[in-house]
Amino acid sequence: DTAVSQTPKYLVTQMGNDKSIKCEQNLGHDTMYWYKQDSKKFLKIMFSYNNKELIINETVPNRFSPKSPDKAHLNLHINSLELGDSAVYFCASSQVFLGAPYEQYFGPGTRLTVT
Amino acid sequence: SQQGEEDPQALSIQEGENATMNCSYKTSINNLQWYRQNSGRGLVHLILIRSNEREKHSGRLRVTLDTSKKSSSLLITASRAADTASYFCAVNSGNTPLVFGKGTRLSVIA
């Protein structure tokens, strides 16, 4: 059983388009995250949701909008895509948050290429 | 920044040798975690060490934590070709999210 799944795995699109990435976890975790990994492998958190509520919103352009319809899903919508948005986007989930030790489970990633 | 910094950036060893990677961070932490990322895959959690722990083992992995030096090391003993991957440390300071370093790329040559 896949713990954290993302679709699509690859996404190639043109500048200016709008696209979405979907994420689902079947671990029963309360907290989900979106990370961006650039070409140098640096992994940076973008958003965190706890029980469908936005907890963390790092310095991310407002073209990026996360949506959590329920605590098992966290989708990422990106408007007006730019070349600099090209990266691998990872979804992750964890059991606890804020002060309690937690390990994160990552999805396989979505490689976004903007041309 | 709380970001962990791994050292070295890249490491190449022969199968059967031990691999040691280091991580340094800047402020106090709740715990430090190590993750592995195989090429084209997501990160996989390896081990978590709490701030009051000094050493932890999991199979061929040994992690140490020195909070006075704000550093941690990951030792992989008797490495295998399948250990080839990038290894990341991540620090948790309680009310902040995990902050990942840039990783060490390990190549194990058969």
Side-chain angles (χ1 to χ4, degrees):
Chain A
D1 268 351
T2 303
V4 182
S5 59
Q6 291 177 234
T7 53
K9 188 165 173 60
Y10 299 97
L11 188 52
V12 181
T13 188
Q14 291 185 328
M15 281 175 57
N17 285 349
D18 303 339
K19 289 292 177 186
S20 292
I21 307 171
K22 294 186 176 181
C23 177
E24 176 181 1
Q25 54 98 1
N26 62 6
L27 298 166
H29 289 165
D30 290 334
T31 307
M32 295 184 72
Y33 314 83
W34 276 109
Y35 287 88
K36 178 181 179 180
Q37 187 174 44
D38 63 24
S39 58
K40 296 183 178 178
K41 299 289 189 183
F42 180 48
L43 197 69
K44 184 174 166 58
I45 189 162
M46 300 173 69
F47 301 103
S48 171
Y49 268 73
N50 181 260
N51 275 319
K52 300 194 299 175
E53 288 189 22
L54 181 65
I55 301 297
I56 291 169
N57 182 355
E58 292 294 307
T59 313
V60 175
N62 57 15
R63 298 181 295 103
F64 291 79
S65 53
K67 286 205 170 40
S68 181
D70 54 62
K71 73 175 195 177
H73 295 84
L74 180 62
N75 304 323
L76 183 66
H77 188 75
I78 315 170
N79 290 328
S80 303
L81 278 154
E82 299 177 357
L83 292 176
D85 297 332
S86 295
V88 182
Y89 292 84
F90 287 99
C91 177
S93 72
S94 70
Q95 182 62 289
V96 292
F97 192 60
L98 289 181
Y102 58 96
E103 61 182 80
Q104 294 190 358
Y105 293 78
F106 282 79
T110 296
R111 181 174 294 276
L112 171 65
T113 303
V114 183
T115 62
Chain B
S1 160
Q2 182 61 295
Q3 180 181 336
E5 296 279 345
E6 291 92 344
D7 170 61
Q9 287 188 344
L11 180 61
S12 184
I13 59 173
Q14 298 286 330
E15 210 168 26
E17 293 181 338
N18 295 343
T20 300
M21 288 158 267
N22 303 298
C23 171
S24 59
Y25 56 93
K26 293 182 181 173
T27 61
S28 62
I29 61 171
N30 264 359
N31 66 72
L32 185 144
Q33 304 178 32
W34 285 92
Y35 289 78
R36 183 187 74 233
Q37 184 180 30
N38 290 90
S39 181
R41 301 285 190 93
L43 280 74
V44 174
H45 182 267
L46 295 175
I47 202 161
L48 180 153
I49 187 163
R50 292 177 171 77
S51 59
N52 60 354
E53 297 175 312
R54 291 298 165 255
E55 188 170 312
K56 225 168 169 182
H57 296 254
S58 176
R60 293 183 295 112
L61 305 181
R62 174 177 165 249
V63 168
T64 61
L65 179 64
D66 186 335
T67 52
S68 66
K69 294 181 179 177
K70 293 187 170 54
S71 68
S72 172
S73 67
L74 170 67
L75 168 69
I76 304 174
T77 59
S79 63
R80 305 166 182 167
D83 294 329
T84 295
S86 291
Y87 291 82
F88 294 85
C89 70
V91 296
N92 167 245
S93 299
N95 62 354
T96 58
L98 278 185
V99 180
F100 286 81
K102 295 182 181 178
T104 292
R105 261 190 340 275
L106 173 66
S107 298
V108 181
I109 302 163

